[in-house]
Amino acid sequence: MKTSTKSTSDFIRNWVIAGAALCVGGFYASHAQAQPCAFDQTVVSGDFGTVRFAVEVADDAGERAQGLMHREQMSRFSGMLFVYERPGRAAFWMKNTLIPLDMLFVDVRGVVTRIHENAVPLDLTAIEGGDAVFAVLEINGGLAAQLGLQAGDTLRHPAFGPDAAAPCDP
């Protein structure tokens, strides 16, 4: 059986790239877990591993209304964490929002209940999050799928308090 040089070299190149991605992913996962909770960061954990996002927190009506409007770009592992006073119905739209976003709808314990992927910039269609939404994490569009984020993952942030599914260290 003859093996072509091209297929063998492609296999080796892909194997090296995959190994490097696993090493980097492992670094992010271990680095994210070793850091304490901070108001300007949230850690998302699930079957995919762990990832840390630098976040701006929108925890009052004015900040939530402004959101990520008029931004032309956002760093890869950045986002905005919208936090409400109590769980309730939440719906978002993309008015004046110039970049596609993924929205992670989260309950009071920090558990992701729904993900809306690739919200369309400038679209006025309501994006429903559900009836018991306590927080919403907006990240760059397409990143949730790329990282393997899904409903059931947990967020670690001081806003979720001591009864969180993934509480902050005391």
Side-chain angles (χ1 to χ4, degrees), residues 14-92:
N14 290 338
W15 183 77
V16 169
I17 290 169
L22 287 173
C23 288
V24 170
F27 168 75
Y28 279 121
S30 63
H31 182 68
Q33 291 172 345
Q35 303 267 334
C37 277
F39 188 74
D40 64 348
Q41 299 177 12
T42 188
V43 175
V44 182
S45 299
D47 290 342
F48 69 92
T50 303
V51 63
R52 180 179 297 274
F53 292 95
V55 294
E56 296 175 54
V57 177
D59 59 1
D60 68 40
E63 292 170 339
R64 289 189 297 261
Q66 178 65 33
L68 291 170
M69 289 182 181
H70 308 291
R71 310 247 181 129
E72 294 181 2
Q73 63 184 0
M74 184 168 58
S75 298
R76 181 169 168 82
F77 289 102
S78 294
M80 181 168 278
L81 182 64
F82 296 78
V83 180
Y84 295 93
E85 289 79 18
R86 67 189 65 76
R89 184 182 170 115
F92 280 59

